Amino acid sequence: MLMFAAILFWLHDIIFYYVFSFYSYIIDEASIATSLVVLGGWVGCSFGSYPMESHGRKTTLLMNNILYVVGAVMAASGFDYLLYAGRFVTGLGTGVTSVVAPILLSEIASESTRGTITTLHQVYILYIHLSILSISSNVVIY
């Protein structure tokens, strides 16, 4: 499911680029839409532990994919306010995922591999995953 969410997030960025280029948004509108992802991530990190404690880690991650789908559909709709709301909702999903996934990994890993697995998860996100998304987005866009 996380791979499905990553693919949706990648497609969301491509759609986001085409929406900006098609409707020729000014720089201020583009920066507001981009910063709403960060704001949504902050809110998602702040409140992501509540559903995790009440519904469980796995269920929270599975239900969190709804935020990615709804955010991508809203952003691709073509309306300004839905673009902004969609970027915020996508940020919420990213924030919740960044809180819940490392905790779930640390709970299912054995005690001897716990530190390695959680470290490799962060290394994958920071270096490998973002590099692959950046390269593939640039290839598809150009």
Side-chain angles (χ1 to χ4, degrees):
M1 279 301 205
L2 287 177
M3 186 55 96
F4 177 70
I7 291 170
L8 282 176
F9 190 71
W10 175 72
L11 289 173
H12 180 258
D13 283 344
I14 293 172
I15 293 169
F16 183 68
Y17 172 78
Y18 285 118
V19 166
F20 274 165
S21 64
F22 181 73
Y23 290 106
S24 66
Y25 283 95
I26 59 174
I27 298 298
D28 291 338
E29 292 171 337
S31 63
I32 289 171
T34 304
S35 64
L36 283 172
V37 174
V38 177
L39 180 65
W42 180 73
V43 172
C45 284
S46 300
F47 298 107
S49 62
Y50 297 118
M52 178 181 68
E53 293 298 327
S54 62
H55 300 296
R57 281 89 168 124
K58 186 177 178 182
T59 305
T60 301
L61 281 178
L62 290 174
M63 290 290 133
N64 190 39
N65 290 325
I66 295 171
L67 291 175
Y68 287 113
V69 172
V70 169
V73 169
M74 289 171 71
S77 69
F79 299 108
D80 289 342
Y81 59 92
L82 281 178
L83 173 69
Y84 297 146
R87 295 294 282 183
F88 181 78
V89 170
T90 303
L92 283 174
T94 304
V96 171
T97 301
S98 66
V99 168
V100 177
I103 294 173
L104 178 66
L105 285 174
S106 68
E107 287 179 351
I108 63 174
S110 66
E111 190 173 322
S112 62
T113 61
R114 185 172 297 144
T116 304
I117 288 176
T118 55
T119 301
L120 288 176
H121 174 258
Q122 294 300 323
V123 167
Y124 171 75
I125 290 173
L126 286 177
Y127 297 112
I128 299 170
H129 185 72
L130 291 178
S131 298
I132 290 171
L133 287 179
S134 176
I135 290 168
S136 63
S137 294
N138 288 333
V139 167
V140 172
I141 290 171
Y142 299 114

